[in-house]
Amino acid sequence: MNDALQPSKDRVFIEVRDLTKKFGEQHVLRGVNLTVYRGETLVLIGPSGEGKTVLMKHFIGLLKPDAGSVVVDGVSVHRLRERQLSATRKKFGFLFQNAALFDAMTVAENVAFPLVESGVRDRAEIIKRVHDALEVVDLEEHKEKLPVNLSGGMRKRAGIARSVVANPQCVLYDEPTASLDPVVADVIDQLIMRLQHRFRVTSIVVTHDMKSVFKIANRVAMLKNGVIHFCGTPEELRNSPDADIQDFIEGRSHLQG
Ligand SMILES: Nc1ncnc2c1ncn2[C@@H]1O[C@H](COP(=O)(O)OP(=O)(O)O)[C@@H](O)[C@H]1O
Ligand SMILES: [Mg+2]
């Protein structure tokens, strides 16, 4: 980890304290404590259905905690009403799991969409920012294509361009390499790192892909049984004596076949 990424108090971007969340009788988050530092790539791992997506939705106020606090860039997001949330949401770009592109729009129109939504009207500015975002993901020459004519990896890259076009401080990636082949997954990992280095964005990445974890993470947090079961560097994860962590890293399941 380089010096710029050493965690310190004034570098806190997100602070989650004692966050609990139930859906009916299902107690999903049972007291999550997690700090995300500016400029870092934090990878969130853990079994399916543990609440990783639910946790990320709290960062942008798409879900409200039953108890606990979520402070983003000094703002208590859990206290905001819907119409007060837009300033916080503008700090984020998100690539959600099944976030599809709009079929009837070209790649460029898809990428322009968040800008138009957020009220940017200057056509020259839109063109310039869409161009820059597509350049970062190496899709500039495909900008007039419709999503149906792109490969899965290209669609993901277009989604990433759309997530970063408005210059967010933090990008949330929810399983960005799921269902991609290893080579394409590596391209996505490279892009996540490129965005971190070029724009100093904070990145939070949910993944099951342990190769990605060790490639991109500055720190890793593991969500299990509704709490952060582990949080540390990739090295600390690898060397952890905890059996649950080692099983997860090795992809071992305790389900009886
Ligand atoms: N809006 C919702 N209403 C009811 N249950 C939900 C809702 N969102 C998520 N859940 C449940 O919360 C649990 C955690 O979901 P999720 O965060 O998607 O898990 P994952 O760790 O795989 O991302 C799941 O059992 C899911 O069905
Ligand atoms: Mg999920």
Side-chain angles (χ1 to χ4, degrees), residues 36-255:
V36 183
Y37 297 96
R38 290 177 204 279
E40 76 170 340
T41 295
L42 179 97
V43 173
L44 189 56
I45 61 173
S48 284
E50 277 291 322
K52 301 180 296 296
T53 300
V54 164
L55 175 58
M56 289 222 288
K57 285 183 173 172
H58 282 84
F59 301 158
I60 48 178
L62 286 175
L63 287 172
K64 288 259 177 277
D66 297 330
S69 62
V70 180
V71 177
V72 174
D73 205 12
V75 175
S76 296
V77 173
H78 58 288
R79 294 217 178 92
L80 300 180
R81 292 167 191 279
E82 184 61 32
R83 61 185 174 75
Q84 300 170 307
L85 280 164
S86 66
T88 294
R89 288 190 186 146
K90 277 187 184 166
K91 295 173 185 172
F92 287 90
F94 16 94
L95 190 66
F96 278 118
Q97 249 160 323
N98 301 313
L101 300 170
F102 299 110
D103 293 335
M105 291 187 191
T106 65
V107 168
E109 287 164 349
N110 266 285
V111 173
F113 190 77
L115 291 177
V116 177
E117 279 278 275
S118 72
V120 181
R121 290 289 172 265
D122 180 346
R123 217 181 130 68
E125 186 187 347
I126 292 174
I127 290 170
K128 162 105 180 49
R129 285 165 76 169
V130 168
H131 169 89
D132 290 350
L134 286 172
E135 189 127 83
V136 180
V137 301
D138 299 323
L139 274 185
E140 176 52 26
E141 62 190 285
H142 301 284
K143 68 179 176 204
E144 299 306 334
K145 289 188 177 163
L146 291 172
V148 67
N149 296 321
L150 302 179
S151 67
M154 288 161 88
R155 278 200 288 271
K156 241 345 160 207
R157 276 149 59 197
I160 291 176
R162 185 173 63 180
S163 309
V164 300
V165 71
N167 295 330
Q169 294 182 45
C170 179
V171 185
L172 308 177
Y173 301 92
D174 201 353
E175 304 202 22
T177 60
S179 77
L180 299 179
D181 73 55
V183 175
V184 179
D186 185 61
V187 170
I188 301 298
D189 285 340
Q190 300 291 340
L191 276 180
I192 292 172
M193 291 190 282
R194 187 188 291 182
L195 289 164
Q196 181 194 22
H197 294 134
R198 204 174 285 183
F199 304 118
R200 302 183 179 279
V201 292
T202 308
S203 311
I204 304 171
V205 186
V206 173
T207 188
H208 287 112
D209 181 346
M210 292 312 295
K211 260 208 207 122
S212 293
V213 173
F214 290 110
K215 233 180 294 172
I216 67 177
N218 299 123
R219 290 190 311 134
V220 187
M222 183 178 187
L223 187 64
K224 196 169 177 355
N225 300 329
V227 297
I228 298 296
H229 180 79
F230 167 91
C231 189
T233 64
E235 267 320 288
E236 288 164 349
L237 182 79
R238 205 196 296 273
N239 298 328
S240 167
D242 185 299
D244 287 341
I245 291 176
Q246 289 308 323
D247 284 349
F248 192 84
I249 294 178
E250 301 295 334
R252 279 190 294 263
S253 160
H254 291 295
L255 293 181

